[in-house]
Amino acid sequence: MQDHLPVSPQLLARVGLMPEDYAPRNMAVGTGLITLTSAGILCAPFRNRAVGIAQVGAAGALAVNALAHVGRALREKRYNPGLATALVMLFSSLNYISRIRRELGMTRMTVGWTTLGAGVLSFPIIIGYLRLARWVIGARAWGK
């Protein structure tokens, strides 16, 4: 299990996670919750700039996460869980961002800052969803 951890167990402990939070069942629940939230944001009709910025942020966070998976694979010279879907998400997110940018007349600067901000926020968001997944699954999953 520890060979699939994206960071050291010590760093996980500092943010309130355990190596078990990266178990397949927990990751599936956490990823499902993130996907539902992202889909809700991305599928909302964009009637104004604020919604468009939220959508660019959601798509940007998915793109940044995808780049992290690709970077990890290149660094470790091996596959990591999520890499295959990360490539699909990267290209889909970039296409989505491009479409919203054109339709709402957003500048590249706005898209860049929104994506950067969402990328920075994606780490605590992922932590929160993994904690939520732990709660959804319950303590019995860890044999307690």
Side-chain angles (χ1 to χ4, degrees), residues 46-66:
F46 46 92
R47 297 186 179 123
N48 60 44
R49 189 169 181 81
V51 173
I53 288 175
Q55 290 173 321
V56 167
L62 293 173
V64 169
N65 183 266

Side-chain angles (χ1 to χ4, degrees), residues 22-73:
Y22 280 87
R25 184 175 181 187
N26 195 311
M27 288 299 293
V29 171
T31 301
L33 293 169
I34 290 172
T35 301
L36 287 172
T37 303
S38 298
I41 294 169
L42 295 171
C43 291
F46 46 92
R47 297 186 179 123
N48 60 44
R49 189 169 181 81
V51 173
I53 288 175
Q55 290 173 321
V56 167
L62 293 173
V64 169
N65 183 266
L67 288 173
H69 280 278
V70 171
R72 181 176 174 207

Side-chain angles (χ1 to χ4, degrees), residues 105-124:
M106 298 171 95
T107 65
R108 286 190 171 121
M109 179 83 67
T110 300
V111 169
W113 281 111
T114 301
T115 300
L116 178 65
V120 169
L121 288 175
S122 66
F123 185 66

